[in-house]
Amino acid sequence: MAGEEEQKTATTTENNSSPPAEAAKEAPKEEAVAAVKAPETEAAADGKAAATAATPTAEQQPPPAPPKPSVHKPNFEKDTVYLYQFCRTPLLPSISPYCLKVETWLRLASVKYENVDHKMKLRSKKGQLPFIELNGEEVADSSIIVKELAQRFTKDLDAGLDNYQKSISHALISMIENSLVMVVLWWRSKNTDSVLKGYKLNLQHGYGTKIPQVILNFIFKFAFSRKGAKKVKAQGIGVHKPEEIIDMGKRDLKVLSDVLADKPFFFGDEPTLLDIVAFANLAQIYFFDKEVEFALRDFMQDNCANLVGLVNRMKERCYPDWEDMCKTLDLNSHLPKPEPEEKPTDGKGKEEEKKDEKEGDKETEKEIEKEKEKGENEKDVEKDVEENKQKEEKETK
C-alpha cells in the first residue's frame, strides 16, 4: 500500500510538472515569431512613410494640363476664323442666306478667315450651318456669330448709328429673317426642281462624291422639300395659299425698297449690318437663272430697282473675286494659293485619292439612308395622326 501511494504521488508530481515544461518550450517559438514579425512591421511602416513622402501634396502637385480643344481643326492659327458653310454655286457664293451673311460680314469687317471644305458633312453642336471655330472655340448661329466676332475684334458696323436708326435696323432685320426668308424657303420647298436648275447646283462637287448626279438630285429634292415644308409649317406661313405667301414676300420687298429710297445704303454712304442681311437674302432672289421662273425675282427687278442696285454695290464692295469663285467653286478664292505640290509617280497618290473618294461615297450613302429612314418614320407618324383623327370623328358622330 505504501508503495502504491508513493508511485501515485510520483505520477501526480510528473503530471503536474508537464504544463510548465510545455509552456517553456512554446515560449521560445512565440519569441521567434515576434522577432520575425517585428522587422516586417517596421518595414511596412517604413514603406508607408516612404510612399507618403513620395506622394506630392496638393500644393506640390503640378498644374493639370489644359484640355484639348474639342474642335474640327485642332491645328488652328490664332485669331483666324474658320468658317463652316455650304458649297459654292455657279451663280452665288452660297444658297444659304445665313452663310452668306456671315462671310459678307467677315469681308466687310476685314477679319481674317478661312472656309473649311467639309463636303457639307459637318454641323455645329446645335446642328446648324453656318458655324465658326475661333481659337479652339465653336460659335454657332449667324446672329450670335456676328455679335461675338464684333465684340472680340471691336468691329461694330453699327457704331455710327443713333438709337432710332438702330431700332429701325433691328425691326427690318427681324422682318427679313422671320418673314421674307420663310417665303423664299416655302417657295424652294415647293419647287425643288427649279432650285437645282436655278442655282445650277453641282452636288457631286459639293459632297465630294462620284455618286451619280441623278441619285443625288433625287435625295436632295426629297430631303430639302421635307425639311423646308416642316419648317414653314411650324412657323405658320405654310398654312396659307400660294398666292397669299408670294404676296407677303412682295410686300416685304416693297418695304425694304421704300426705306432704302435713293440712298446707296440704308443709312447713308457706308454699309451696316442691315445692308449685309438684306444683301444676303436679296441675293438668293436676284442671282437666279433667268430661264427659270421665279415670281419674287421678277417683282424685284420690275418694281424694286434700288434693291437690285444695293445687291450689286454690296457684291462689288465685298466680293471682287465673285466671278472667279463661282466659276471654280473655290471656297477660299480670297486667300493666296500655295505652289502646287509634285504628285507622286509611283501610283500611290492615285490609290490614296481613290481610297478617299470611296470613304466619301460611303459617308454620303450613310447620310442618304438616314434621310430615307427619317422620311419613312415621319410618314408613319403622319399616318397614325390621320387614323386617330378619323377615329375621333367617328366617335363624335
Side-chain angles (χ1 to χ4, degrees):
M1 292 291 290
E4 287 179 8
E5 287 178 4
E6 288 176 3
Q7 190 175 0
K8 284 181 182 179
T9 303
T11 304
T12 304
T13 304
E14 289 175 5
N15 291 338
N16 290 338
S17 63
S18 294
E22 290 177 4
K25 289 179 182 177
E26 290 176 2
K29 291 182 181 179
E30 292 176 359
E31 289 175 3
V33 171
V36 172
K37 285 184 178 179
E40 290 179 357
T41 307
E42 290 175 5
D46 291 342
K48 286 182 181 179
T52 305
T55 305
T57 61
E59 296 178 355
Q60 296 172 336
Q61 285 182 352
K68 293 182 179 179
S70 58
V71 291
H72 300 289
K73 196 171 180 66
N75 57 331
F76 56 83
E77 184 179 340
K78 187 179 179 183
D79 291 338
T80 296
V81 175
Y82 295 95
L83 175 59
Y84 295 77
Q85 61 164 318
F86 292 102
C87 64
R88 302 292 193 208
T89 82
L91 293 178
L92 77 165
S94 177
I95 62 168
S96 164
Y98 304 110
C99 294
L100 190 56
K101 167 186 169 183
V102 172
E103 186 165 16
T104 305
W105 186 94
L106 288 165
R107 289 184 170 224
L108 198 58
S110 299
V111 173
K112 186 178 180 182
Y113 79 98
E114 178 184 326
N115 279 300
V116 179
D117 187 7
H118 60 107
K119 303 302 180 187
M120 300 194 294
K121 290 179 172 62
L122 300 177
R123 297 293 183 273
S124 70
K125 294 180 177 68
K126 295 180 179 179
Q128 296 175 313
L129 278 181
F131 70 93
I132 65 165
E133 291 178 349
L134 175 62
N135 297 335
E137 297 179 22
E138 179 186 292
V139 185
D141 189 280
S142 64
S143 296
I144 297 174
I145 290 170
V146 169
K147 182 180 177 182
E148 185 73 19
L149 292 178
Q151 291 174 350
R152 291 200 190 189
F153 293 99
T154 319
K155 299 280 188 178
D156 184 4
L157 301 181
D158 291 349
L161 304 182
D162 58 33
N163 289 335
Y164 177 74
Q165 289 173 322
K166 288 179 180 179
S167 298
I168 295 296
S169 174
H170 177 77
L172 290 177
I173 288 174
S174 295
M175 181 195 75
I176 293 170
E177 295 193 328
N178 291 289
S179 178
L180 182 59
V181 74
M182 297 307 295
V183 172
V184 174
L185 180 60
W186 167 84
W187 184 87
R188 287 177 172 181
S189 68
K190 296 293 183 181
N191 300 274
T192 50
D193 276 321
S194 297
V195 171
L196 289 168
K197 294 175 184 176
Y199 296 116
K200 299 181 179 179
L201 294 180
N202 185 340
L203 297 178
Q204 281 186 325
H205 172 81
Y207 284 110
T209 178
K210 288 190 175 181
I211 293 174
Q213 188 76 22
V214 176
I215 296 175
L216 292 174
N217 287 351
F218 174 78
I219 297 302
F220 172 83
K221 288 188 285 185
F222 174 77
F224 196 86
S225 175
R226 179 176 57 82
K227 290 179 180 178
K230 193 175 180 180
K231 285 181 180 178
V232 296
K233 187 177 181 181
Q235 192 263 359
I237 198 172
V239 300
H240 300 294
K241 295 178 181 178
E243 59 271 21
E244 293 173 338
I245 298 174
I246 291 295
D247 186 57
M248 292 177 189
K250 290 178 179 179
R251 280 185 283 163
D252 289 341
L253 292 174
K254 192 68 171 62
V255 168
L256 291 173
S257 178
D258 290 343
V259 175
L260 178 62
D262 59 353
K263 301 186 294 295
F265 301 103
F266 279 100
F267 297 109
D269 296 330
E270 292 297 321
T272 61
L273 181 59
L274 173 57
D275 296 284
I276 291 174
V277 174
F279 164 73
N281 284 271
L282 295 175
Q284 310 297 320
I285 298 171
Y286 181 67
F287 293 106
F288 195 82
D289 193 331
K290 294 178 181 179
E291 301 299 321
V292 182
E293 185 179 351
F294 191 9
L296 288 180
R297 178 205 55 208
D298 297 339
F299 178 84
M300 179 174 159
Q301 288 180 327
D302 297 339
N303 301 278
C304 307
N306 58 347
L307 294 183
V308 174
L310 172 68
V311 169
N312 285 316
R313 278 189 293 277
M314 289 293 292
K315 171 191 169 184
E316 291 169 7
R317 182 154 183 165
C318 301
Y319 293 91
D321 54 340
W322 183 288
E323 302 302 328
D324 180 45
M325 74 169 66
C326 290
K327 183 179 179 181
T328 62
L329 305 181
D330 184 2
L331 283 167
N332 290 305
S333 55
H334 63 293
L335 296 178
K337 296 293 180 285
E339 293 183 5
E341 297 179 0
E342 293 184 5
K343 295 183 179 180
T345 56
D346 55 358
K348 289 182 179 179
K350 290 183 178 180
E351 290 178 4
E352 289 177 359
E353 286 179 6
K354 288 180 180 179
K355 186 179 179 182
D356 292 339
E357 286 176 0
K358 286 181 180 179
E359 289 176 356
D361 290 348
K362 286 180 181 179
E363 290 180 7
T364 306
E365 287 171 1
K366 285 180 182 178
E367 289 181 5
I368 290 172
E369 290 300 322
K370 285 181 183 178
E371 292 295 339
K372 285 181 179 178
E373 289 177 6
K374 285 181 183 178
E376 290 173 359
N377 291 336
E378 287 184 3
K379 284 181 181 179
D380 292 338
V381 171
E382 290 175 0
K383 187 178 179 181
D384 292 339
V385 170
E386 189 63 31
E387 288 177 355
N388 289 332
K389 282 184 181 179
Q390 291 176 359
K391 285 181 181 178
E392 288 176 1
E393 288 175 0
K394 288 181 181 179
E395 290 175 358
T396 52
K397 289 179 181 179

